[in-house]
Amino acid sequence: MKSPLPATAKAPKTEAIDSDLVRKLAQLLNESDLAELEVEKGDLRIRVARYSSAAPQIQHYAAAAPAQQIAPAAAAAAPAAPAPSAASSENVLKSPMVGTAFRRPSPDAKAFVEIGSVVKAGDRVLLVEAMKTFNEILAHRSGTVTATSVEDGQPVEYGQALMTIE
Amino acid sequence: MLLPSPFRVEIFDTLGSTHDEVLSRARLGEAGFLWIMARSQTSGRGRLGRVWQSPPGNFYASLLLYDPAPLDSIAQLGFVAGVALYDAASEISGLSNLRLKWPNDLVVGGGVKLSGLLLEAVSTPRGRAVALGFGINCATSPKGLEYKTACLNDLAGRHIPAETLLVPLSTALDVWMKVWERGQGFALVRKAWMERAANLNQIIKVRRHADVLSGIFEGLDSSGRLLLRCGKESVTIEAGDVFLI
């Protein structure tokens, strides 16, 4: 059974999040046909949403975020060290949707881009297929592809890193 | 041919691919709800560049739509199109044994395939465009594929000209897109799809990227993913090829 993760809550810092309420909402979501549920009570707003059960893919996405957060600390410890190339999140092209990634239009065709390809913002660099609907993914910036993070046929989650363009 | 407004059509004797023609029109800023139809195609294509054999006599047409739904709901369009195709093909053929196979194939008994849909979303100067391509076997069906195929003429026992499908298909798409409400009404589309589904609550096989699963087909989840009961576990399937047993 898929789990209703992640649950996000927006609340003032002074107010503790009611974990029982989150749990109840998650249960409600599981018992219903809804994709997401949002409640507001005073200043507290809680939204629980249903995502794919492909947990490893979520971890993949989560791995990208801390890199950005720890960058200042790393820089303080070793100011002379060059920033790791994958650290800058604005270089990372993320998936706008859940689906399956394809790097080429057909299995025997050339990939849209390879590491080292120079792209312009708006160039087609990937396809994400969601339930047989193919969506073109465009380069979010101009630059050189320095890393590709997905293979043909790989499931991707919303927000998952697809490639790095620097 | 009187299509419901705002649908319109351009019919060609032969084209490379109706889908490619729609995509290139979209990039040139053509207005939406345009059907490009061909009596035959020289490079008809299906998913992932697979060849779609396109001899004269069958239905080959692609529809241009702009921004039919927000990005997170756009994949539901395949189910809207599947239900519309089911209704149009049932109406024109009089057949009562047509079914849908996940996510949007029209089939008869045991998964014998009658159609294929191809949906592609691209960015254009007018916004996100979606090409919605239909290949429907009317007069002939291709042989030598990994699945069985049939055509409407053989099943109905009479000649159904491909062009006669265009009006009921446009009408049904118009109706179901309004029900869908850009994703807000997907629960109703999902219900309609499941009423038309083949092998609901029966065993099916799903070939995924890395494995093949057998289980009871429990229906669609709230976003259209396939629910497969494998023993005690319910598996949610986002991508895969379904085989009816």
Side-chain angles (χ1 to χ4, degrees), chain A residues 33 52 129 131-132 134 136, chain B residues 47 119 121 123 222 225 241:
Chain A
D33 269 345
S52 156
E129 180 188 24
M131 287 178 290
K132 314 251 166 164
F134 285 87
E136 66 175 6
Chain B
R47 192 172 158 268
L119 289 95
S123 295
S222 59
R225 293 174 299 182
D241 292 317

Side-chain angles (χ1 to χ4, degrees), chain B residues 32-85:
Chain B
F33 291 93
L34 172 70
W35 282 107
I36 296 288
M37 185 175 193
R39 297 192 176 99
S40 67
Q41 300 182 108
T42 52
S43 39
R45 61 187 178 91
R47 192 172 158 268
L48 294 173
R50 290 172 194 161
V51 172
W52 188 265
Q53 298 173 31
S54 308
N58 293 338
F59 181 95
Y60 315 109
S62 297
L63 177 66
L64 173 59
L65 297 170
Y66 287 98
D67 191 28
L71 197 55
D72 59 359
S73 304
I74 207 148
Q76 297 168 0
L77 180 60
F79 298 94
V80 177
V83 170
L85 169 60

Side-chain angles (χ1 to χ4, degrees), chain A residues 1-2 33-35 51-52 96-100 102 105-107 124 129-136 138 152-153, chain B residues 27 47-49 71 74-75 79 102-103 119-123 190 209 221-225 234 236 238-241:
Chain A
M1 192 62 206
K2 56 203 167 295
D33 269 345
L34 299 170
Y51 281 89
S52 156
M97 63 202 305
V98 177
T100 305
F102 290 97
S106 65
R124 176 192 288 209
E129 180 188 24
M131 287 178 290
K132 314 251 166 164
T133 301
F134 285 87
N135 297 274
E136 66 175 6
L138 308 179
D152 273 325
Chain B
R27 292 192 177 99
R47 192 172 158 268
L48 294 173
L71 197 55
I74 207 148
F79 298 94
W102 189 87
L119 289 95
E120 289 181 302
V122 299
S123 295
R190 170 180 174 266
H209 186 54
D221 80 354
S222 59
S223 58
R225 293 174 299 182
S234 181
T236 306
E238 167 81 34
D241 292 317

Side-chain angles (χ1 to χ4, degrees), chain A residues 70-139:
Chain A
I70 59 168
S85 61
S88 184
S89 72
E90 69 263 26
N91 293 341
V92 177
L93 174 62
K94 293 174 180 169
S95 181
M97 63 202 305
V98 177
T100 305
F102 290 97
R103 294 187 51 206
R104 60 201 82 235
S106 65
D108 48 1
K110 245 175 61 181
F112 296 115
V113 293
E114 300 283 2
I115 291 174
S117 296
V118 176
V119 297
K120 288 198 304 286
D123 282 355
R124 176 192 288 209
V125 291
L126 210 71
L127 297 173
V128 172
E129 180 188 24
M131 287 178 290
K132 314 251 166 164
T133 301
F134 285 87
N135 297 274
E136 66 175 6
I137 306 298
L138 308 179

Side-chain angles (χ1 to χ4, degrees), chain B residues 214-237:
Chain B
S214 284
I216 307 282
F217 174 35
E218 293 189 310
L220 307 180
D221 80 354
S222 59
S223 58
R225 293 174 299 182
L226 188 156
L227 297 173
L228 193 69
R229 162 81 44 193
C230 303
K232 284 183 179 167
E233 197 190 357
S234 181
V235 183
T236 306
I237 294 171

Side-chain angles (χ1 to χ4, degrees), chain A residues 4-20:
Chain A
L5 290 171
T8 56
K10 285 179 187 169
K13 282 184 183 135
T14 50
E15 193 172 337
I17 293 165
D18 184 345
S19 59
D20 276 348

